[in-house]
Amino acid sequence: MFFRILRWTGLTLLAGITLLLASSCTMLGLNYASLDVGNKQAAVPALEIDRLMTPEGRAEAMKMLEDTLYGPWPQGLPVSVGDWRIINPDYLDGRGTLEEIDITIGRGDGARTFQLVAAFPAAALANPLVLSQTFSSNCATFPGEAVMSEDGDPCTARDFGPVASFIVTQLFGEYIAEAPVGLYFDAGFVYASFHAGDFIPDSTQLAPKAMAELGADVNPTSTLMAWGYAFSAAMDVLEDDPRVATNHTSVMGHSRHGKAALLATIWDPRIEAVIAHQSGFAGAALSRSPTGERLERMAETYPHWLAPDAQKYGDDPSLLPFDQHLVLALIAPRRLFLGNARRDVWSDPNSSYRAALAASAMWEAYGRPGLNDNGMRSFNPTDGIVWWMRAGGHSVVDNDIPAFIAFLQARPMPEGLSSAIELPMADGAR
């Protein structure tokens, strides 16, 4: 019996290591990210700040993103919702309730349904919101709770067995799956999340078909844009709930979901702040950077993340009419958190910092603080662009959560400031 357990543990460990090495998004860092930007090229092309501050210029920039890397934002794609189901009325020993709701995106046979799970603090109204996408199913995010599993039945256990769970958390951090809801409750936040793969599978084979069959006049052609739209669909639900403060809403994502969070924030003006943690290429990292994963490899390994024609830009990023500092700039003057780790060279913190440096002028043009000039070791949660660099690799660890919360608790911009941007969809995301 002992040898069988030992053999199973060894096989699980080997499988975990093999998966790690096979996945370009989770490569182990063997080197440190450079903290020197003076010897590297600044982000190009230069931003046309005055033009971007006009409705026409902003719309042109968003169209460039659609026509190159991300495909169309599926404006008009139908969203319907069910009713909240109370999963646990005494969640976390009575500190709040845990509830679940079905969200369906699309029409006809191709429409897809996923579950949004929300933890609401007890005896309070209009709490600030943090909305997250997760890698794992809701069973792993809320272990021990009877939220709906991927097979449509209430969860009875974690997705992972105890050995695999230990390996996953050791490799990718304590909070790569389970959500630290108690810490968000301590800070007075509603925490809500959903498994993005329940909407559009994170699969080169399955994702294109799922998106093509959603049944709208304009369907998404990249999972990043589809997942971004799912953020917006969840906002439809939460903004109508009196327990949510609609002027203090934030979205959060790690890695590929950090990329999706950036896109959602650009297209949905209801989002007040965004945490893009280690978002890497097609996120905050410059496409023209030769360091780390690089756009070329990402487009080859995960072609479904991007629009079908994006590979040509991976092969030659100089063909892009923009770089990722434009993506960041389109979030201004709302607040942006860029999370990084010193050994996460794969996500290229150095070029992300250069992108933030170039985008900072957009915040300043709105009269808001942008990125402070104290370098990559500094952390000021009240900045317009908040830079977070910690030790370690590509993961979500316990050190990250206080930084996230400090950013989320920092005073939001004055009410009404976001209306200074005449967004093309000023009356809502759809």
Side-chain angles (χ1 to χ4, degrees), residues 96-154:
T97 64
L98 188 68
E99 304 181 28
E100 179 182 69
I101 194 168
D102 294 336
I103 298 178
T104 300
I105 299 179
R107 63 167 58 93
D109 293 340
R112 299 185 65 87
T113 299
F114 61 95
Q115 285 71 45
L116 173 71
V117 181
F120 296 98
L125 295 177
N127 292 283
L129 166 72
V130 56
L131 170 63
S132 178
Q133 282 184 3
T134 62
F135 284 87
S136 302
S137 79
N138 292 336
C139 298
T141 304
F142 303 95
E145 301 293 338
V147 295
M148 190 176 293
S149 66
E150 292 180 78
D151 60 9
D153 295 322

Side-chain angles (χ1 to χ4, degrees), residues 127-130 189 244-250 270 272-273 335 407-412:
N127 292 283
L129 166 72
V130 56
F189 277 80
V244 173
T246 56
N247 65 338
H248 197 166
T249 57
S250 310
R270 299 171 297 181
E272 183 265 329
R335 302 186 62 245
F407 166 78
L408 294 169
Q409 286 186 311
R411 188 66 191 164

Side-chain angles (χ1 to χ4, degrees), residues 35-376:
L35 301 181
D36 186 0
V37 298
N39 62 351
K40 294 178 175 62
Q41 182 183 17
V44 294
L47 298 177
E48 298 181 27
I49 300 294
D50 291 342
R51 179 67 177 163
L52 289 173
M53 294 180 71
T54 68
E56 298 80 11
R58 180 179 176 85
E60 289 171 3
M62 293 164 72
K63 187 68 163 56
M64 276 199 304
L65 303 188
E66 292 180 302
D67 290 344
T68 52
L69 294 183
Y70 302 108
W73 176 262
Q75 187 171 359
L77 186 60
V79 175
S80 58
V81 300
D83 296 318
W84 285 109
R85 298 183 292 274
I86 297 178
I87 302 300
N88 188 342
D90 297 306
Y91 185 56
L92 296 183
D93 297 323
R95 295 183 61 191
T97 64
L98 188 68
E99 304 181 28
E100 179 182 69
I101 194 168
D102 294 336
I103 298 178
T104 300
I105 299 179
R107 63 167 58 93
D109 293 340
R112 299 185 65 87
T113 299
F114 61 95
Q115 285 71 45
L116 173 71
V117 181
F120 296 98
L125 295 177
N127 292 283
L129 166 72
V130 56
L131 170 63
S132 178
Q133 282 184 3
T134 62
F135 284 87
S136 302
S137 79
N138 292 336
C139 298
T141 304
F142 303 95
E145 301 293 338
V147 295
M148 190 176 293
S149 66
E150 292 180 78
D151 60 9
D153 295 322
C155 301
T156 56
R158 286 179 187 265
D159 276 357
F160 317 117
V163 175
S165 180
F166 173 80
I167 294 170
V168 168
T169 56
Q170 290 301 304
L171 293 175
F172 305 119
E174 181 179 357
Y175 296 118
I176 194 64
E178 184 173 350
V181 180
L183 297 178
Y184 290 113
F185 272 10
D186 289 344
F189 277 80
V190 173
Y191 174 86
S193 64
F194 61 95
H195 181 213
D198 286 349
F199 171 43
I200 300 297
D202 190 6
S203 163
T204 302
Q205 290 74 38
L206 300 178
K209 183 175 186 294
M211 291 186 288
E213 294 179 350
L214 285 171
D217 294 334
V218 178
N219 290 323
T221 59
S222 75
T223 55
L224 295 184
M225 199 64 106
W227 292 337
Y229 195 81
F231 265 128
S232 193
M235 282 293 301
D236 286 353
V237 176
L238 293 163
E239 73 165 350
D240 290 335
D241 196 299
R243 295 170 291 184
V244 173
T246 56
N247 65 338
H248 197 166
T249 57
S250 310
V251 295
M252 175 172 66
H254 167 64
S255 194
R256 65 202 68 179
H257 302 306
K259 311 177 206 290
L262 291 171
L263 296 177
T265 307
I266 291 171
W267 264 270
D268 193 333
R270 299 171 297 181
I271 299 169
E272 183 265 329
V274 54
I275 296 173
H277 186 53
Q278 299 176 310
S279 61
F281 287 81
L286 294 172
S287 297
R288 290 168 170 82
S289 174
T291 306
E293 181 179 19
R294 302 192 314 278
L295 186 64
E296 175 187 11
R297 193 178 192 283
M298 196 196 78
E300 290 176 349
T301 308
Y302 303 108
H304 57 291
W305 288 1
L306 300 173
D309 293 333
Q311 184 61 55
K312 67 180 179 182
Y313 300 108
D315 295 338
D316 186 1
S318 68
L319 295 175
L320 280 168
F322 66 93
D323 213 326
Q324 297 307 104
H325 55 308
L326 175 64
V327 171
L328 304 185
L330 288 171
I331 290 168
R334 294 167 292 172
R335 302 186 62 245
L336 168 63
F337 179 107
L338 296 178
N340 300 272
R342 191 70 194 282
R343 284 192 178 272
D344 185 26
V345 181
W346 204 236
S347 293
D348 200 8
N350 189 282
S351 84
S352 296
Y353 187 81
R354 284 179 278 138
L357 275 176
S360 185
M362 194 73 177
W363 273 260
E364 294 163 7
Y366 281 108
R368 300 285 101 189
L371 182 72
N372 72 60
D373 57 3
N374 295 325
M376 279 188 267

